[in-house]
Amino acid sequence: LLYSRGLLIDLLIKSNVSRYAEFKNITRILAFREGRVEQVPCSRADVFNSKQLTMVEKRMLMKFLTFCMEYEKHPDEYKAYEEITFSEYLKTQKLTPNLRYFVLHSIAMTSETACNTIDGLKATKNFLRCLGRYGNTPFLFPLYGQGELPQCFC
């Protein structure tokens, strides 16, 4: 999977190599949680149309994601938590376990133990920055597989 605003996609577009390959966007992101497969709300529309989140959770998630998009402008809100894991930081933000799971595993795509707060915020911001370029999710994939990419450059 490639981020839609990632360096490789930008290189493919700038070099016109993208003309030789077909890409498809991922239509939705799913998470396996408590024995069920659930759709992860990614965009603003997904969040507010989601039936698995309460109204309070929707508001909390939107507030947190909005903060993540401009976290560099508000260092006082995360500087004290730089040394702890992103998972612990999410707990300090009073997110519900449901929201913490979605943010940690499906949006930031980080580990519960190995990722610090800054890396988690960067990963979340990158995910959000890539949303909406080619669809409702931030990911693209080469239609005929990763082997197409070296062939296109040739």
Side-chain angles (χ1 to χ4, degrees):
L1 295 177
L2 305 169
Y3 278 110
S4 64
R5 292 190 194 273
L7 295 174
L8 182 57
I9 296 297
D10 289 342
L11 176 65
L12 291 169
I13 292 169
K14 286 178 185 171
S15 63
N16 288 328
V17 171
S18 59
R19 294 182 298 171
Y20 303 109
E22 290 184 54
F23 292 88
K24 186 156 176 61
N25 67 321
I26 302 297
T27 56
R28 59 189 175 158
I29 296 175
L30 302 173
F32 184 75
R33 183 163 186 252
E34 297 174 357
R36 295 190 330 257
V37 176
E38 300 176 338
Q39 182 171 342
V40 177
C42 297
S43 66
R44 181 182 303 264
D46 287 348
V47 169
F48 288 108
N49 289 330
S50 174
K51 300 216 186 304
Q52 64 222 41
L53 300 176
T54 66
M55 286 304 284
V56 173
E57 285 181 319
K58 290 175 185 181
R59 176 72 182 126
M60 291 168 73
L61 181 59
M62 285 307 301
K63 186 177 177 184
F64 180 74
L65 295 179
T66 302
F67 163 73
C68 287
M69 279 303 292
E70 49 193 35
Y71 76 92
E72 292 106 341
K73 295 178 185 174
H74 309 284
D76 51 308
E77 292 191 34
Y78 67 88
K79 282 290 185 194
Y81 305 106
E82 285 182 335
E83 301 302 319
I84 63 173
T85 64
F86 189 52
S87 176
E88 291 296 319
Y89 175 72
L90 293 176
K91 288 177 187 171
T92 67
Q93 297 302 299
K94 298 184 176 49
L95 295 177
T96 65
N98 196 23
L99 294 179
R100 285 196 307 261
Y101 185 85
F102 284 148
V103 170
L104 192 65
H105 297 290
S106 301
I107 294 177
M109 296 187 191
T110 61
S111 165
E112 286 187 36
T113 56
C115 180
N116 66 25
T117 300
I118 297 297
D119 292 340
L121 290 171
K122 284 180 186 176
T124 303
K125 181 179 180 175
N126 187 42
F127 181 96
L128 296 170
R129 190 177 61 84
C130 295
L131 280 174
R133 187 172 188 184
Y134 298 111
N136 285 343
T137 65
F139 299 113
L140 297 173
F141 67 95
L143 194 57
Y144 301 109
Q146 294 292 344
E148 287 291 302
L149 295 178
Q151 284 182 328
C152 293
F153 280 104
C154 291

